[in-house]
Each structure stands twice: as C-alpha cells, then as structure tokens.
Amino acid sequence: MAQIRLKNISKRWNNFVGVDNFNLDIADREFLVLLGPSGCGKTTTMRMIAGLEDITEGEIWIGDRMVNKLEPKDRDISMVFQSYGLYPNMTVYENIRFPLKVRKVPQDQHHERVMKAAAMVELEPFLERRPAALSGGQRQRVALARAIVREPNAFLMDEPLSNLDAKLRVSTRAQIKNLHHTLKTTTIYVTHDQIEAMTLADRVVVMNKGLVQQVGTPMEIYDRPANTFVAGFIGSPAMNLVPGSVENGVFTAQGIRIEGLPSTTKGPVTLGFRAEDATLAQGQGQIEAPIYSVELLGEATMLSMRVAGELVSIKVAKDYRAEIGETAAIAIPAAACHLFDQSTGTRIGA
C-alpha cells in the first residue's frame, strides 16, 4: 500500500516561502503530476517527500508511516532525476544492478531482476555498454530501469524528459505511461511541461509561488480552470484571456462583443476562450480584427489577432489562407466562454 499523504507541509528559508501549507492525499497506484513554472515549489515538494529536503512544518505519510524523520533510503521510494546520475565507469547492467547491491538484496535475485527491468525499457542490447556510448534517451531509460529494479512503494520523477529532444520526449513519455500501467506503482512526476501533465496524469496539481492553484483530472483543469493563472498555463496554446466588462449578459471590449452570457454577472471581468472553440464567422462575428500572424501547424492553421490589447489565438482549417493585416471575423459561442474576476483572477460561476 503506497498511499502518500501530505498534511499542511510548508518549506521556508528565513523569509522566503518555497511551499505554503500543502495538503494532498495521493491514492495508491495513482500517477500524480506536480505542474507549474520554475520556482513554483513543485521540486521542493518532491524533495520533501523523498527526504532530500527537511520540511519546516507539517507531516508526510507513506502508507501507514509518518516519514518526517526517516532517511531517504528508509522511505522505500525510487527517484528518477533530470540529470541521469549514472556511474560512468559501470556498464548499463551494473548501473541497473547497483541499487540491489546497496540494499543487500540476495545475490541470486540480481540477474533476474536486472534483466526484467532492462526488458521493460528495451535495453537488452545495451547492457555491456557504458553510459558514454549511449544516447540521451538510452541513458534516461537506464535511469528508469535502475528505479524499477528496486521494486519500490513509489516512484518520484523530477523532470525526467527535459534533457531529451522533441521526438525522444514523445517516445519516452509513452514508455513511462506504459510502465505505470504495467507496474501499477504510485508515481509523483514533476514537470513544467503541460503537455506531459495532460498526457501522463491521473490527476494534476497546478502550483504557483508555493501555493496549490488547482487539483483535478487533466480534463477538469483544461475545461474548468479555477483561475486565470491555470487558464493561462494549461493548453497549447493557452486559453485566450481578454479584459472587458459584462452588462446584461453581454461582454464587451475593444473589437469584441459576445451575447448570451450569464446575466447575474456584471462589471469588470476577464473573458477566457480556447483557440479551438472559435471558428471563422459567416458574416459578422463576435471578433473582427486584423490578422497579426498566420501559422500552419499541419493539422490546423493558427491565426493570431490583437484584441483589446491582448494577442489571441484562433485555430481554423489547415487549408485556410489569408494575409497578415486582412480583417477576419471570428465566431465564439457563449457556451464556450469562461469568466474570471478581474481583480482576483478567480473563476466566476460553477
């Protein structure tokens, strides 16, 4: 049983608050992603769980044990880091085997467990090589195999794909997803990449400045962001956010007018909508503005327009052709719109 509970944990260095009053229950076998920009507290949170960072206050429970005072080696977890941390003088086989030797696992179990872990990440042809003879993706797989061979209660992964190129990130991400499905081990994964979070996670914790902004499934945080920070961080591209005001169910700002919004809201708001929810209008649209840029993405074309001082993105058909400076009319259904309090950034409505 590897349920992990974080109860009111905080980390402070003098007057600087790295993590502030973090509460979370991570279910057994769950794949949880800590997501946020650099400096938001996500790696500090993971390091506290691992025992690599002392907590200032609060409690960390792994299973039925409070582990605040336990050394990292006694917490029964395996970590995979951004830097692979391999021993350059050892072969791949010996690198994978090393945790078994340190933990004094009986010698007669070593070969079978190393080969099993190597097979899971497709490393069998490389077992006699040293790390210098491997690509970045292969080295990361050695680091994964070294974590797997431990058969721990939980995996902690700190930005494991950030040193890989785009193609390798996609294939290694799929491998991590498949490994979690196979091993069914509780996993906490730190990243600043929202695509990794959306594709890997059972649940995502969005953090900023040491505070939890929202916890939910990938679709919950994508479809119903709790505030403008989450809305502007999740999605590729992020949600369009336009300041304006609502009166009698009508949102207005320079170059944009949308009717049919909740009539209970009035005054200054920030309007949010996704690029894929907007379409080219037949006739007059809710937005009419000059095109700022046209980008072919392959499966679609991305239009950028400057609306009420903000650059907004619209996805249209891949065969759409237009010149920069031409006026485009865009339709945005009221049902696809989100409203946020302009002063606090908090979502308005359910």
Side-chain angles (χ1 to χ4, degrees):
M1 181 72 174
Q3 182 187 30
I4 298 173
R5 300 188 69 195
L6 310 179
K7 299 172 70 173
N8 306 105
I9 66 168
S10 296
K11 179 63 180 181
R12 290 189 292 273
W13 293 272
N14 298 320
N15 293 327
F16 178 76
V17 180
V19 177
D20 191 13
N21 196 33
F22 191 117
N23 284 278
L24 190 68
D25 284 358
I26 304 163
D28 184 36
R29 304 182 177 186
E30 181 174 18
F31 197 118
L32 182 97
V33 172
L34 301 177
L35 174 68
S38 297
C40 72
K42 57 189 186 296
T43 295
T44 301
T45 301
M46 173 175 283
R47 288 176 62 84
M48 288 191 286
I49 296 169
L52 301 175
E53 198 78 65
D54 292 332
I55 65 173
T56 306
E57 57 194 42
E59 297 176 359
I60 298 175
W61 292 74
I62 300 177
D64 56 3
R65 294 190 304 170
M66 188 171 77
V67 300
N68 290 30
K69 303 298 185 184
L70 290 183
E71 292 293 318
K73 64 184 177 62
D74 298 323
R75 299 192 182 196
D76 197 16
I77 55 169
S78 278
M79 286 199 71
V80 180
F81 297 96
Q82 176 180 350
S83 58
Y84 316 123
L86 305 181
Y87 298 103
N89 59 321
M90 293 184 184
T91 64
V92 169
Y93 184 97
E94 289 299 328
N95 265 284
I96 298 171
R97 182 186 175 205
F98 189 75
L100 303 179
K101 294 168 69 175
V102 170
R103 297 181 71 81
K104 296 181 170 56
V105 172
Q107 187 95 10
D108 60 359
Q109 296 181 23
H110 288 199
H111 183 71
E112 182 183 350
R113 286 173 65 168
V114 169
M115 296 307 292
K116 180 181 176 183
M120 284 184 175
V121 292
E122 301 172 12
L123 279 175
E124 300 103 311
F126 309 104
L127 291 174
E128 296 309 313
R129 292 192 189 180
R130 284 184 165 77
L134 301 176
S135 68
Q138 289 163 347
R139 291 180 203 178
Q140 192 57 274
R141 283 190 275 154
V142 178
L144 285 170
R146 191 175 55 188
I148 291 165
V149 81
R150 279 270 317 274
E151 298 177 0
N153 266 333
F155 292 119
L156 306 183
M157 300 188 182
D158 187 8
E159 307 242 20
L161 307 184
S162 58
N163 285 342
L164 304 181
D165 63 37
K167 185 177 179 181
L168 270 177
R169 276 203 300 272
V170 172
S171 59
T172 311
R173 192 171 70 214
Q175 201 156 40
I176 290 172
K177 183 87 170 179
N178 186 266
L179 279 173
H180 181 256
H181 174 78
T182 303
L183 296 170
K184 296 179 170 58
T185 302
T186 307
T187 301
I188 302 174
Y189 186 105
V190 162
T191 185
H192 64 274
D193 186 323
Q194 50 90 23
I195 295 176
E196 285 179 29
M198 296 293 286
T199 53
L200 289 171
D202 296 322
R203 280 193 305 160
V204 178
V205 179
V206 184
M207 298 182 68
N208 189 37
K209 297 180 179 177
L211 293 169
V212 174
Q213 303 294 312
Q214 187 171 2
V215 181
T217 66
M219 288 315 300
E220 284 170 351
I221 63 171
Y222 187 83
D223 287 341
R224 308 196 70 73
N227 53 42
T228 50
F229 175 81
V230 178
F233 196 78
I234 299 295
S236 183
M239 182 178 285
N240 296 304
L241 296 170
V242 180
S245 61
V246 169
E247 198 71 44
N248 299 321
V250 180
F251 173 87
T252 53
Q254 184 180 3
I256 179 170
R257 175 185 172 89
I258 301 176
E259 301 178 357
L261 298 171
S263 57
T264 52
T265 302
K266 60 171 60 178
V269 297
T270 298
L271 174 85
F273 65 93
R274 295 278 180 202
E276 65 269 23
D277 289 331
T279 56
L280 291 169
Q282 303 299 318
Q284 189 174 8
Q286 280 87 348
I287 293 177
E288 295 195 1
I291 295 171
Y292 185 82
S293 72
V294 182
E295 302 167 86
L296 179 62
L297 305 180
E299 83 286 358
T301 296
M302 187 79 75
L303 299 185
S304 295
M305 311 166 79
R306 198 168 286 285
V307 178
E310 301 293 330
L311 206 58
V312 303
S313 300
I314 314 295
K315 276 188 179 178
V316 297
K318 63 182 180 182
D319 57 356
Y320 179 78
R321 298 290 180 269
E323 296 295 325
I324 292 174
E326 287 182 20
T327 298
I330 304 298
I332 308 166
C337 292
H338 308 253
L339 296 178
F340 303 93
D341 185 287
Q342 204 171 99
S343 56
T344 65
T346 304
R347 182 183 187 84
I348 299 172

